[in-house]
Amino acid sequence: VDTGRYEEALALAIDAKAIWLKALAPGHWRTASAEAAEGAALAGLGRYDEAEKLLLASYGVLHEEKGAAHVYVVNSSRWLAKLYQAMGQPAKAARYPVSQHG
């Protein structure tokens, strides 16, 4: 996602999510991290409505789960902020400051 290779990132995120769904539950933070990457890739492709749904759902899981790896928590905020900036909604983007996570 961060290199701009959104089609490739989307395929990898979908594969990762499928793997985590077989091994874990839909609400597990690892599954949510793959879903967040999927949403970020969709945002990069301009598929904002699909991206927003996935990013908001994964954000909720990642920010509630105490065991979630910090990098995925930060990415969920960063990707939501970038999505809303791309959508021309800076007020919504401001709701997801990355600085709050250190």
Side-chain angles (χ1 to χ4, degrees):
V1 170
D2 290 337
T3 62
R5 294 163 51 190
Y6 302 117
E7 291 285 349
E8 183 180 351
L10 180 60
L12 292 170
I14 290 170
D15 287 348
K17 186 169 82 171
I19 291 166
W20 287 125
L21 283 171
K22 285 182 182 180
L24 305 167
H28 192 279
W29 72 264
R30 289 188 186 272
T31 305
S33 69
E35 194 167 77
E38 180 182 358
L42 288 168
L45 293 169
R47 295 165 60 181
Y48 298 141
D49 290 339
E50 296 170 84
E52 183 180 31
K53 181 180 176 182
L54 289 170
L55 287 168
L56 287 171
S58 59
Y59 176 92
V61 171
L62 290 163
H63 285 260
E64 290 175 17
E65 179 59 49
K66 301 281 188 237
H70 182 73
V71 66
Y72 300 116
V73 175
V74 172
N75 279 344
S76 70
S77 294
R78 182 170 59 89
W79 289 336
L80 266 170
K82 286 180 74 171
L83 169 70
Y84 288 127
Q85 287 293 346
M87 293 173 73
Q89 299 178 16
K92 281 188 176 180
R95 295 180 195 165
Y96 303 97
V98 174
S99 62
Q100 73 183 352
H101 305 292

